[in-house]
Amino acid sequence: MRIKILLSGLVLATLASSALAANRPAGYVTICSENKTCSVANATTVAFGRADKFTYKLLSGSFVCSEAVFGARVAGGVNECSIARTTNSSSSVPAQSSSSKPVVSSVPSSATSSKSSVSSSASSVKSSVASSSSSSVSNPPVGSYYPGCEKPEPTETVQLPATRVVVAGEVFDGLNKRYNLSGGGQGEGQPPLFDVQEGGVVRNVIIGAAAADGIHCKGNCTIDHVWWEDIGEDAATAMGPAGTIMNVTCGAAFNGSDKTFQFNGRGELHISKFYVQSAGKLARTCGDCTNNGGPRKLVINDVITRDVSTIVGINTNFGDTATIRNLTLNNSGTSKTKICQVYKGVVKGSGSSSALGVEFDTPNCDVRQNDVTLLGVSQMNTSACAGSCPIP
């Protein structure tokens, strides 16, 4: 009899242990089980797995909750697909393929919600977006923000002792606090303020004057409602491999002598509902990185700039492309802004990249002059290159 009781106790303990192992991350809700069809909104981070082990992938529309889609499964039971509770799934969203890379996490489901995976909050803008004859916003006041994305007053200032790592799938909500680390100048090699891993989200953050090298995005990531009071070395750098997207939406950046967003990875960089003032460039694909190459894809939509010399710079020899829609220039002077500047990129140690000219409506520069609205005395450069610029 005693043996039976002991065996029963072991069985109950095993069942209790299994019950504690969740089939979804903390803060997530299951949308379908393994081998069933799920549907989510655009650019949503989906967790796949069981027993506190998950693979995260950025998906859109309909997909099958399966190992074939996510690249891995957890043995021993039925895996589940789940999304953050704040994410709305929809069966009406058209299916789109995702090429994001999975990341397996073993963070316990009892972890705080700040370490849960969450969906990317902004929609991806496709290169097939219809051309617009004017910006979708009215004339903003000087020194303002993108309408609806105004910077709040900081609730407090936080001095970080070291880079804050945002782990895979984590949502870091800065609660509109101002964050500083170090530096703030243009020196190369500064550490990032935030190091965002695959599927991570940074939102509601104000970055102060000691911005160091801003935000590093190592894979699929979302930067949502983030404002740079000073750009520092770079506001953010896209470092993810091919198939990943750094999505920047609803924010602003000020006072940068060179690039605002640096693009060193091989995926895509999407910028929308954003305002930049006093900078050399809005975005630049790397001109002379180690093992440099491409292609890289830039998508710019609903952006206002003031006194920014160049909107995007891309390397046509590496196959980079830029799609620009609903761009508004609100400059203080008559200097001509370069909209899509093309370069010949190089591998580090092989000289310097060279500027080739400005392009409109070419395979690399998907932008027309009527995609740009000029306010006040603003002007854009339309004569630096007629059509495609050949690479010597």
Side-chain angles (χ1 to χ4, degrees), residues 38-341:
C38 305
S39 187
V40 295
N42 285 341
T44 298
T45 300
V46 181
F48 174 73
R50 59 175 296 279
D52 290 336
K53 294 182 180 179
F54 306 102
T55 298
Y56 296 91
K57 196 166 186 182
L58 195 71
L59 297 172
S60 299
S62 298
F63 62 93
V64 177
C65 181
S66 66
E67 181 180 9
V69 172
F70 288 86
R73 73 180 299 276
V74 181
V78 177
N79 288 241
E80 297 180 5
C81 285
S82 57
I83 60 175
R85 294 183 187 277
T86 55
T87 304
N88 296 320
S89 62
S90 171
S91 60
S92 62
V93 179
Q96 299 175 20
S97 63
S98 170
S99 54
S100 58
K101 300 187 73 174
V103 172
V104 177
S105 170
S106 58
V107 177
S109 62
S110 58
T112 59
S113 60
S114 66
K115 291 188 177 181
S116 304
S117 177
V118 75
S119 66
S120 175
S121 63
S123 298
S124 298
V125 182
K126 300 301 179 181
S127 61
S128 59
V129 172
S131 175
S132 171
S133 61
S134 63
S135 172
S136 59
V137 297
S138 59
N139 190 348
V142 174
S144 185
Y145 299 90
Y146 191 89
C149 298
E150 293 81 6
K151 180 176 74 73
E153 285 300 313
T155 54
E156 66 174 285
T157 297
V158 177
Q159 177 62 49
L160 294 178
T163 297
R164 171 61 161 87
V165 177
V166 180
V167 300
E170 177 186 355
V171 179
F172 179 84
D173 191 327
L175 304 175
N176 292 329
K177 297 177 183 179
R178 177 189 286 117
Y179 290 83
N180 285 313
L181 178 60
S182 61
Q186 291 294 311
E188 295 290 336
Q190 297 183 63
L193 197 68
F194 294 97
D195 188 314
V196 186
Q197 304 296 311
E198 166 65 32
V201 177
V202 175
R203 63 161 53 110
N204 301 324
V205 165
I206 299 165
I207 295 179
D213 198 27
I215 298 175
H216 285 184
C217 175
K218 299 295 182 62
N220 289 295
C221 76
T222 296
I223 301 172
D224 176 30
H225 285 79
V226 175
W227 299 268
W228 286 260
E229 294 178 332
D230 191 294
I231 292 172
E233 184 179 348
D234 299 307
T237 304
M239 306 175 77
T244 59
I245 299 174
M246 183 170 93
N247 206 342
V248 182
T249 185
C250 204
F254 300 83
N255 304 322
S257 61
D258 193 7
K259 306 167 298 293
T260 305
F261 295 104
Q262 175 71 29
F263 194 175
N264 292 349
R266 291 291 193 279
E268 300 183 17
L269 169 56
H270 294 196
I271 305 169
S272 63
K273 297 182 180 179
F274 206 82
Y275 178 88
V276 180
Q277 180 171 316
S278 301
K281 298 178 182 69
L282 171 65
R284 172 71 168 103
T285 61
C286 187
D288 61 352
C289 288
T290 301
N291 298 320
N292 202 10
R296 302 175 174 111
K297 180 179 179 180
L298 280 164
V299 181
I300 312 296
N301 191 53
D302 287 330
V303 167
I304 303 170
T305 68
R306 182 172 179 82
D307 300 335
V308 176
S309 302
T310 301
I311 303 304
V312 300
I314 61 174
N315 305 310
T316 51
N317 60 315
F318 293 147
D320 297 348
T321 63
T323 299
I324 302 174
R325 299 290 186 272
N326 299 325
L327 171 67
T328 299
L329 307 184
N330 189 19
N331 296 333
S332 64
T334 57
S335 294
K336 294 183 178 181
T337 299
K338 296 175 182 177
I339 306 301
C340 188
Q341 171 74 56

Side-chain angles (χ1 to χ4, degrees), residues 338 340-341 356-360 380-387 389:
K338 296 175 182 177
C340 188
Q341 171 74 56
L356 303 176
V358 172
E359 294 186 5
F360 285 93
M380 61 178 163
N381 188 321
T382 61
S383 60
C385 176
C389 298

